[in-house]
């Protein structure tokens, strides 16, 4: 038993370090762009402006900025769009197959960056895309670790997503090393070699298939325990099947609250994948995620040109704000647990009569969804105000909102839908939100064209569009109120029926 706890702890800690140091590195792209510009990537996009004597503003690098924005747009799109395929692979083929694919893609991406050069700037498109897709596969296989800690399941999921967000600081570290004379080649070769660590963890600290929820008795995994683990899982499933089909030994009717909980759990566990996708829960969650994800993607993709505009192209000032943004990303892993604690705050407390675990989880998620929506609105408003010092506060709101967003999304899917559909539903959710995020390209065209580089008007529209995210927590609140009302009416009906039966006996 002690050895199993140690194994679980090693899996938890190593998974957090993996997410923190690798999985979401692509979202630190703003720091990498600064280095790539210094090296002259896409420099053919800079053209001289005739009739100017100032060396500071003698070139127009709009096309260079557009190319860098497109690199991130493609990587961010594939990060989300490929998650549907990743979710299917994970549900169908298990942890090991998914991780081996992800590690391969991640290694290819880092090697492509290492061997790229200003003459081959186009290599950044497949390179960042591979790093992005490989990273999300590492996160997907790590989130199931929450199943090992049932009382803190949502907290673990949100912590991993927070670590994923904080890994954006990896490119900031590369930027700092570059300023100290260490080349991009050396940094990315080192990241490629770290794939050996991912492989070791895949074989020793994770199962070949999946971590079940709830856990089977004496569940274990690893290279030497895999066959035992699979056997335990199969035996547990068979035993539960016999218990569900066996006739009741007791003739006493179940308590109303137990009956309600069993019925709700049975209905939820028997749901098909299609019914989950067509549910209002899924639709509201999709709108909630897509709107906020779009706002974050646009902010990250345009951060460098925005800072250049607000700082009047003072590169020292731009570097200062870029570093501040990267440092705030490190705080994602510190902010994410707050969301998990909010969602798990009811665990360990006695439930009200008739309230199921799932209903209690949904009730706890309302506050999380509402806070995340409010933070997104505040972040969008601050990002729209063209005042440079205000961007420090914008960075803080951005990392807070982002750490709540993805962890809350994964935790809500694990609460609202059956566990065996998690990979597919999570993947489909992220994929569909990425399709909505393709609005980024028209955004760039509009800002760089008719608006002549000033995004103020579009940002105001985006802030108003952000109000849509409040629909989701309101709907969950109404749904929970309906459940409570139905439960009250049912108990009153049973009480009335019991009194009539008693009178009839008299």
């Amino acid at each position: 038993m002690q050895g199993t706890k140690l194994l679980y702890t090693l899996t938890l800690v190593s998974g957090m370090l993996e997410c923190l140091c690798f999985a979401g590195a692509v979202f630190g792209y703003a720091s990498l762009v600064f280095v790539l510009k210094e090296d002259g990537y896409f420099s053919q996009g800079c053209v001289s402006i005739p009739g100017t004597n100032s060396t500071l503003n003698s070139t127009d690098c709009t096309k260079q900025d557009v190319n860098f924005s497109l690199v991130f747009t493609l990587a961010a799109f594939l990060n989300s769009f490929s998650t549907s395929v990743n979710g299917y692979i994970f549900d169908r083929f298990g942890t090991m197959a998914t991780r081996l694919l992800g590690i391969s893609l991640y290694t290819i991406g880092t090697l492509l960056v290492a061997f790229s050069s200003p003459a081959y700037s186009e290599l950044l498109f497949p390179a960042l895309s591979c790093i992005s897709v490989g990273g999300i596969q590492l996160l997907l296989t790590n989130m199931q670790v929450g199943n090992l800690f049932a009382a803190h399941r949502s907290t673990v999921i949100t912590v991993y997503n927070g670590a994923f967000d904080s890994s954006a600081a990896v490119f900031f570290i590369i930027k700092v090393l570059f300023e100290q004379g260490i080349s991009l080649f050396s940094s990315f070769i080192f990241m490629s070699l770290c794939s050996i660590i991912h492989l070791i963890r895949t074989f020793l600290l994770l199962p070949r298939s999946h971590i079940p929820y709830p856990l089977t008795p004496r569940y274990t995994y690893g290279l030497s325990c895999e066959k035992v683990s699979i056997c335990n899982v199969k035996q547990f499933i068979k035993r539960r099947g016999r218990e569900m089909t066996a006739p009741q030994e007791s003739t006493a009717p179940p308590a109303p609250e137990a009956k309600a909980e069993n019925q709700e759990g049975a209905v939820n566990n028997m749901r098909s994948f299609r019914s989950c996708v067509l549910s209002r829960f899924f639709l509201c969650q999709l709108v909630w995620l897509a709107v906020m994800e779009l706002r974050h993607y646009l902010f990250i993709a345009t951060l460098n040109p925005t800072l250049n505009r607000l700082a009047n192209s003072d590169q020292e000032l731009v570097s200062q704000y870029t570093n501040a943004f990267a440092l705030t990303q490190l705080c994602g892993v510190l902010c994410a647990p707050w969301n998990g604690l909010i969602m798990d705050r009811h665990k360990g407390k006695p439930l009200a009569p008739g309230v199921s675990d799932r209903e209690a989880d949904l009730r706890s998620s309302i506050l999380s969804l509402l806070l995340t929506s409010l933070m997104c609105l505040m972040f969008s408003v601050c990002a729209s105000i063209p005042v440079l010092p205000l961007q420090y506060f914008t960075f803080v709101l951005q990392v807070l909102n982002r750490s709540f967003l993805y962890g809350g999304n994964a935790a809500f899917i694990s609460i609202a839908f059956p566990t065996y559909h998690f990979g597919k539903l999570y993947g489909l959710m992220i994929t569909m939100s990425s399709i909505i995020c393709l609005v980024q390209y028209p955004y760039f065209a509009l800002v760089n064209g008719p608006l002549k580089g000033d995004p103020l008007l579009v940002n105001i529209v985006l802030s108003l569009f952000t109000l849509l995210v409040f629909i989701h927590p309101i709907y969950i609140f109404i749904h929970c109120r309906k459940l409570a009302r139905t439960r009250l009416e049912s108990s009153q009906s049973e009480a009335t029926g019991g009194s009539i039966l008693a009178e009839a006996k008299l």
Side-chain angles (χ1 to χ4, degrees):
M1 187 66 181
Q2 190 65 31
T4 302
K5 287 185 177 180
L6 177 62
L7 178 64
Y8 289 1
T9 303
L10 287 174
T11 300
L12 174 68
V13 174
S14 62
M16 188 177 71
L17 291 176
E18 184 175 76
C19 291
L20 180 63
C21 298
F22 301 97
V26 70
F27 293 101
Y29 183 67
S31 298
L32 185 63
V33 166
F34 190 90
V35 175
L36 295 172
K37 282 188 173 182
E38 290 290 319
D39 266 357
Y41 282 74
F42 294 118
S43 57
Q44 67 275 16
C46 293
V47 295
S48 299
I49 302 176
T52 60
N53 297 322
S54 171
T55 57
L56 184 62
N57 296 313
S58 59
T59 56
D60 179 12
C61 293
T62 301
K63 290 185 179 180
Q64 183 188 36
D65 289 334
V66 168
N67 283 326
F68 280 125
S69 295
L70 286 177
V71 169
F72 178 77
T73 299
L74 178 62
F77 170 74
L78 290 178
N79 177 277
S80 301
F81 187 80
S82 65
T83 312
S84 181
V85 179
N86 295 337
Y88 174 79
I89 293 173
F90 176 61
D91 283 348
R92 177 66 177 84
F93 299 103
T95 303
M96 184 176 293
T98 308
R99 286 182 60 83
L100 291 177
L101 177 60
I103 294 167
S104 300
L105 288 173
Y106 200 94
T107 306
I108 290 171
T110 52
L111 288 174
L112 284 174
V113 176
F115 289 101
S116 66
S117 66
Y120 297 98
S121 300
E122 289 76 13
L123 283 177
L124 293 177
F125 284 99
L128 269 296
S129 296
C130 286
I131 292 173
S132 177
V133 175
I136 197 67
Q137 288 179 319
L138 295 179
L139 173 65
L140 180 62
T141 55
N142 276 317
M143 282 192 293
Q144 62 178 327
V145 175
N147 295 345
L148 298 175
F149 306 90
H152 305 285
R153 188 184 181 204
S154 296
T155 303
V156 172
I157 292 174
T158 53
V159 166
Y160 274 19
N161 278 269
F164 177 84
D165 295 336
S166 293
S167 64
V170 171
F171 283 171
F172 165 68
I173 296 173
I174 290 176
K175 174 181 179 291
V176 172
L177 294 175
F178 179 82
E179 293 171 343
Q180 300 301 317
I182 298 177
S183 65
L184 277 179
F185 175 81
S186 300
S187 296
F188 278 90
I189 284 294
F190 176 78
M191 291 182 68
S192 302
L193 293 176
C194 286
S195 295
I196 298 172
I197 301 174
H198 304 323
L199 288 172
I200 293 173
R201 185 168 179 272
T202 300
F203 289 105
L204 298 183
L205 292 176
L206 282 170
R208 178 176 297 179
S209 54
H210 303 90
I211 299 175
Y213 183 79
L215 283 182
T216 59
R218 297 182 299 279
Y219 176 74
T220 186
Y221 50 86
L223 193 61
S224 60
C225 302
E226 189 67 40
K227 291 182 180 180
V228 178
S229 177
I230 293 174
C231 183
N232 286 343
V233 172
K234 289 181 178 179
Q235 290 177 355
F236 182 72
I237 293 174
K238 289 179 180 179
R239 185 166 61 253
R240 287 197 65 183
R242 287 195 299 267
E243 291 173 355
M244 292 177 65
T245 56
Q248 296 291 331
E249 296 180 3
S250 175
T251 57
E257 56 269 22
K259 181 179 179 181
E261 182 174 347
N262 291 337
Q263 286 178 346
E264 184 182 358
V267 170
N268 189 54
N269 289 330
M270 292 173 60
R271 296 180 65 183
S272 66
F273 176 70
R274 182 174 182 273
S275 67
C276 292
V277 173
L278 296 179
S279 67
R280 292 182 181 177
F281 275 5
F282 188 88
L283 177 61
C284 289
Q285 182 73 7
L286 174 61
V287 173
W288 183 82
L289 174 66
V291 171
M292 286 191 275
E293 190 174 55
L294 173 63
R295 192 66 191 93
H296 283 276
Y297 281 1
L298 287 173
F299 179 75
I300 296 173
T302 60
L303 181 61
N304 188 267
T306 297
L307 292 177
N308 271 292
R309 186 181 67 258
L310 296 179
N312 295 320
S313 298
D314 183 342
Q315 291 306 300
E316 184 177 349
L317 197 56
V318 171
S319 178
Q320 176 185 328
Y321 275 83
T322 302
N323 291 347
F325 174 73
L327 287 173
T328 57
Q329 302 306 300
L330 279 171
C331 299
V333 70
L334 302 177
C335 302
W338 303 349
N339 194 20
L341 292 173
I342 290 172
M343 300 186 79
D344 284 337
R345 67 187 186 277
H346 66 288
K347 298 291 180 67
K349 299 179 181 179
L351 300 178
V355 177
S356 66
D357 289 334
R358 179 172 177 268
E359 183 181 347
D361 289 341
L362 285 175
R363 285 184 178 277
S364 291
S365 70
I366 295 173
L367 180 59
S368 169
L369 296 171
L370 185 61
L371 286 175
T372 308
S373 304
L374 184 60
M375 283 188 289
C376 182
L377 179 61
M378 294 172 62
F379 154 64
S380 183
V381 170
C382 289
S384 303
I385 300 174
V387 177
L388 188 59
L390 182 62
Q391 300 314 305
Y392 286 123
F393 184 57
T394 305
F395 297 160
V396 173
L397 288 174
Q398 191 269 343
V399 73
L400 269 172
N401 185 230
R402 184 175 171 81
S403 62
F404 271 56
L405 173 62
Y406 289 104
N409 174 61
F412 182 81
I413 292 175
S414 70
I415 290 170
F417 303 104
T419 305
Y420 53 84
H421 289 320
F422 176 81
K424 296 186 289 293
L425 289 171
Y426 178 81
L428 183 62
M429 179 81 68
I430 300 293
T431 297
M432 294 178 71
S433 68
S434 71
I435 295 174
I436 298 174
C437 288
L438 286 177
V439 175
Q440 290 177 87
Y441 187 75
Y443 172 91
F444 300 143
L446 182 62
V447 171
N448 294 320
L451 298 180
K452 298 180 180 179
D454 185 3
L456 178 60
L457 180 61
V458 179
N459 283 335
I460 292 174
V461 174
L462 282 173
S463 297
L464 294 174
F465 187 58
T466 303
L467 295 173
L468 290 175
V469 300
F470 288 94
I471 294 175
H472 190 32
I474 292 173
Y475 175 72
I476 300 300
F477 176 77
I478 294 173
H479 175 78
C480 291
R481 287 287 297 271
K482 286 182 178 178
L483 288 178
R485 190 181 303 114
T486 302
R487 186 171 58 252
L488 179 61
E489 292 174 354
S490 177
S491 61
Q492 289 176 346
S493 176
E494 290 180 0
T496 303
S499 62
I500 293 175
L501 182 61
E503 291 177 1
K505 290 181 177 179
L506 291 174

